[in-house]
Amino acid sequence: MKALVLSAGVRPAGYSLPRQIVPIANKPVLEYVVENLRDVGITDIGIVVGDGAQEISELFGDGSYLGVSITYIQQDVALGLAHCVRIARPFLGDDDFVMYMGDNVLVEGIGQIADEFARLRPSAQVLVDKVEDPRLYGVAEVDENSRVTRLIEHPQEPRSDLAMIGVYFFTPAIHAAVDAIEPSWRGEFEITDALQWLVTHERDVRARMYSGFWKDTGKVEDVLECNRELLMGLRTDIQGIVDDESRLIGDVVVEEGARVVRSCIVGPAIIGAGTLVEESIIGPYTSIGADCRIVDSGLADSIVLNEATVHNVSGIETSLIGRRARVGSARQHRLVVGDGAHVDLAA
């Protein structure tokens, strides 16, 4: 089985990184995706990339450091998920494959679902979960045997609350379906329409409930929620330097080359390689990237990306601070600071 990972989406506003490689718990979102695939034995991975191709390829290379082989597939114009399957056909050949949205985090992985697909081998199997507002998703209607009877994209009057959550297992039958469909009202080739084509032609399409934590990381609040969830799995690991005047409470990771000086860190939290934390209080659910400087400040429930500086700041919570950003003399703010920004507010 192969994998097709879709990573040609837009960048978050104010950030130069594609959202698939924004770090959560100091690891890019896309790395969690690749690890989930590797953990079920899938090592031949195609990644569909757009204008973030260079950043993604520089980060992952050929995939060998993660134990996989990566092929990059360029999508110049975003024409929908089914279009990604079309342009990836030379890579996919006639193999079964899993299609995985590159900005989705599924903390418990996909092991049981992959085993079920291999055992039953329906034409397609989609992951679903119950959501509060199905109008925001592609929705599956299923019978008592979990066979899909109807699919619709962004229904205005949903008849089901089962949303497809961004992981799909396919046999080669999907290729005939994506070749048969026309663009939707959005001008895109919808994977929902291709799946519906299979249903209409009496192919076996099944839905599988995902019971673990998952999140599409397209919004800042979703990124922060994922950060909390992933940090809860941390175990204390001190590779850097923590001086005698500092306190670590709970599970804290201090990476190699990091220094904690006259500070208090309350876990779960992670301090990236080469970062200095001095005269500061770092609260729980905080990830600080590599080569940052956090001085005379207080942060909690936040993500600080590489090479950022936070100086003389108190009370920053639920914030996302971009790469090489500088934040100083601020007080009691929820901040979303883009890459390279300089924020200097009066206390």
Side-chain angles (χ1 to χ4, degrees):
M1 181 182 287
K2 293 178 178 176
L4 185 65
V5 177
L6 309 187
S7 298
V10 299
R11 302 167 189 264
Y15 293 84
S16 59
L17 287 172
R19 70 187 190 188
Q20 295 86 359
I21 58 174
V22 169
I24 299 178
N26 282 15
K27 188 189 298 185
V29 172
L30 194 55
E31 189 166 331
Y32 293 105
V33 172
V34 172
E35 289 177 343
N36 280 352
L37 293 167
R38 181 198 61 200
D39 290 347
V40 298
I42 300 173
T43 58
D44 198 359
I45 300 173
I47 300 182
V48 177
V49 292
D51 64 0
Q54 182 175 345
E55 294 98 324
I56 292 172
S57 63
E58 286 178 353
L59 183 61
F60 289 95
D62 63 3
S64 57
Y65 84 98
L66 290 171
V68 301
S69 174
I70 293 177
T71 299
Y72 296 98
I73 302 163
Q74 184 70 39
Q75 186 186 40
D76 294 323
V77 181
L79 293 176
L81 305 190
H83 180 256
C84 293
V85 176
R86 282 189 178 185
I87 64 174
R89 182 66 190 274
F91 165 76
L92 296 168
D94 291 323
D95 292 309
D96 293 351
F97 68 98
V98 55
M99 185 170 77
Y100 202 132
M101 299 297 292
D103 52 6
N104 279 18
V105 173
L106 285 75
V107 172
E108 282 79 10
I110 58 171
Q112 291 183 350
I113 300 97
D115 290 344
E116 182 177 299
F117 175 76
R119 184 177 74 254
L120 300 175
R121 203 167 178 266
S123 296
Q125 179 169 288
V126 299
L127 266 65
V128 297
D129 194 13
K130 293 184 177 182
V131 296
E132 292 184 4
D133 190 355
R135 294 173 300 174
L136 303 177
Y137 298 87
V139 171
E141 299 174 17
V142 303
D143 65 16
E144 64 276 8
N145 297 312
S146 297
R147 285 187 167 87
V148 176
T149 58
R150 183 171 180 257
L151 299 110
I152 186 168
E153 189 71 31
H154 293 79
Q156 292 305 302
E157 297 181 2
R159 300 193 301 188
S160 166
D161 60 356
L162 296 178
M164 294 186 287
I165 64 172
V167 179
Y168 312 78
F169 289 82
F170 293 121
T171 66
I174 193 63
H175 296 300
V178 299
D179 287 343
I181 62 173
E182 299 292 333
S184 69
W185 61 270
R186 299 194 301 177
E188 297 185 359
F189 293 92
E190 309 282 1
I191 200 66
T192 309
D193 291 343
L195 287 162
Q196 182 60 47
W197 188 93
L198 292 174
V199 171
T200 301
H201 288 78
E202 300 183 342
R203 304 301 295 264
D204 186 11
V205 178
R206 295 179 181 243
R208 174 64 149 78
M209 287 287 294
Y210 187 75
S211 58
F213 176 91
W214 68 274
K215 189 65 67 174
D216 176 342
T217 59
K219 299 178 181 178
V220 169
E221 53 266 33
D222 296 328
V223 170
L224 291 170
E225 185 176 353
C226 281
N227 190 59
R228 296 180 204 113
E229 185 73 22
L230 290 164
L231 286 177
M232 284 192 289
L234 281 185
R235 295 295 177 265
T236 295
D237 184 13
I238 310 301
Q239 300 293 326
I241 296 172
V242 179
D243 76 357
D244 293 339
E245 297 181 66
S246 296
R247 287 192 302 153
L248 305 184
I249 302 170
D251 286 308
V252 176
V253 171
V254 180
E255 295 183 345
E256 185 176 356
R259 292 186 296 141
V260 179
V261 179
R262 295 186 299 279
S263 297
C264 177
I265 301 177
V266 182
I270 183 168
I271 311 300
T275 284
L276 170 66
V277 178
E278 184 175 10
E279 299 280 0
S280 295
I281 299 174
I282 307 300
Y285 305 110
T286 299
S287 297
I288 299 175
D291 300 315
C292 296
R293 291 180 58 84
I294 313 297
V295 179
D296 191 24
S297 297
L299 294 88
D301 192 20
S302 296
I303 297 175
V304 181
L305 274 61
N306 294 353
E307 301 179 55
T309 297
V310 181
H311 181 267
N312 191 26
V313 177
S314 62
I316 288 184
E317 297 184 1
T318 60
S319 297
L320 177 59
I321 297 173
R323 296 182 301 172
R324 297 181 297 277
R326 298 174 61 196
V327 180
S329 301
R331 184 183 180 91
Q332 301 297 333
H333 282 275
R334 178 187 184 275
L335 298 173
V336 179
V337 181
D339 292 346
H342 183 183
V343 180
D344 192 358
L345 300 176

